[in-house]
Amino acid sequence: MILAILQARMGSTRLPGKVLKPILGEPMLFRQIERLKRCHSFDQLVVATSTESTDDQLAQACHARGVDVTRGSIDDVLDRFIMAAKAYNPQTIVRLTGDCPLIDPGIIDDVVNFFISGDFDYASNVGPPTFPDGLDVEVMRASCLERAHHEAKLPSEREHVTPYLRNHPDLFRQGNFAGPRNLSHLRWTVDEPQDFNFVVQVFEQLYPSNPQFGISDVLRLIEQVPTLGTLNSDIKRNQGMEKSLASDAALEKQDAPKKDQHKGGTFS
């Protein structure tokens, strides 16, 4: 069984409540799920949110729409994924994030098929990225994610789910699905108000006449309306990961004196 886990929460610091902000009258998360329903490569989709009271509204919205939802740790997202997976016992997990309403179902299917045909333990389209930020897909064996859950210690490894896998090519067979050209400078994810403004305008321009629009349609729109692509072009990619790496460094600095205390001395 292939399980897609869509992580989402309401407590974004840069754009609070973003996953339920409306796009053409429908919450952003459910615009994304609408697109995910066109995928052919996974058997089940579940939203994984936190147990915090701030995410009660999100969980209730999922239940009201018949979308499976599980709840776990707000910060230890790796543990949240493992808890979500236990309810379904999948062999393969597809990781998706709820701030990507322009996700392309065809690209998801391509990455999953690439993972299967290559017999990988972990595969993605982000190492290095060649697709616009917001079209990220990661696929992994559930058993490998379980191992990461037991062995990952750093904050970045717990919060961002897959760094332990990516950082250990000696342990996990990995593959990267690359696009025909490098579009990684484009930003189609939603973290800031400018991002949301961009996505809303894309939907307003494309959705009414073509609800199933894909990456090529968005690229064509940006060519036709160049100012659209500049709305959020000044925002740096992966700012959240940078904060987690800073936490890693702080933890390692804190642990350094403890390691020194355990070093053996020499006898004279």
Side-chain angles (χ1 to χ4, degrees):
M1 177 191 179
I2 299 178
L3 174 68
I5 301 179
L6 178 62
Q7 69 182 71
R9 64 186 180 90
M10 293 288 286
S12 167
T13 56
R14 288 168 283 179
L15 190 60
K18 63 183 180 182
V19 294
L20 293 185
K21 288 179 71 68
I23 299 176
L24 296 180
E26 182 74 0
M28 183 177 84
L29 183 69
F30 299 106
R31 286 295 181 200
Q32 182 171 349
I33 292 174
E34 177 184 348
R35 297 172 69 78
L36 293 175
K37 288 180 178 179
R38 305 201 320 257
C39 291
H40 303 288
S41 54
F42 56 78
D43 304 297
Q44 180 68 44
L45 171 71
V46 60
V47 172
T49 192
S50 86
T51 54
E52 297 292 305
S53 59
T54 52
D55 287 319
D56 289 348
Q57 182 183 1
L58 172 58
Q60 292 165 4
C62 288
H63 287 308
R65 288 168 170 77
V67 175
D68 283 10
V69 59
T70 62
R71 306 183 70 172
S73 171
I74 188 168
D75 295 319
D76 190 346
V77 189
L78 175 53
D79 184 73
R80 195 196 309 173
F81 264 64
I82 293 299
M83 294 302 102
K86 282 185 176 180
Y88 299 90
N89 193 31
Q91 286 72 50
T92 301
I93 293 172
V94 180
R95 179 187 178 227
L96 304 166
T97 58
D99 51 7
C100 301
L102 295 178
I103 193 77
D104 190 296
I107 293 173
I108 295 174
D109 289 344
D110 286 343
V111 177
V112 174
N113 292 332
F114 172 75
F115 168 86
I116 294 171
S117 62
D119 194 28
F120 295 112
D121 294 318
Y122 168 87
S124 75
N125 64 348
V126 296
T130 53
F131 291 91
D133 189 3
L135 271 62
D136 302 353
V137 186
E138 296 179 280
V139 191
M140 64 219 73
R141 296 183 191 274
S143 58
C144 295
L145 194 66
E146 183 73 37
R147 178 172 180 177
H149 182 245
H150 287 298
E151 299 179 2
K153 304 298 182 185
L154 295 174
S156 63
E157 296 172 339
R158 308 301 303 190
E159 181 182 357
H160 296 281
V161 182
T162 57
Y164 186 84
L165 300 178
R166 298 198 305 271
N167 293 339
H168 289 85
D170 55 319
L171 300 178
F172 308 106
R173 187 166 184 267
Q174 304 185 19
N176 186 62
F177 182 82
R181 58 190 175 117
N182 189 355
L183 300 172
S184 61
H185 61 286
L186 298 174
R187 183 176 174 85
W188 296 0
T189 190
V190 176
D191 281 323
E192 306 277 358
Q194 306 98 296
D195 298 326
F196 187 71
N197 186 20
F198 167 77
V199 167
V200 167
Q201 291 195 41
V202 169
F203 268 87
E204 288 175 346
Q205 292 289 329
L206 297 178
Y207 187 89
S209 60
N210 180 18
Q212 298 187 357
F213 68 87
I215 181 174
S216 60
D217 300 297
V218 182
L219 290 172
R220 192 177 305 113
L221 176 63
I222 293 174
E223 288 180 0
Q224 294 170 351
V225 188
T227 54
L228 184 60
T230 64
L231 289 176
N232 59 353
S233 59
D234 60 330
I235 303 173
K236 193 174 181 180
R237 187 169 185 147
N238 291 334
Q239 291 180 336
M241 175 59 80
E242 290 184 0
K243 291 181 180 178
S244 292
L245 293 176
S247 298
D248 290 355
L251 179 63
E252 290 171 346
K253 184 177 180 180
Q254 178 182 331
D255 288 345
K258 298 177 184 177
K259 293 179 181 177
D260 290 340
Q261 290 173 7
H262 292 290
K263 287 182 179 178
T266 58
F267 294 95
S268 55

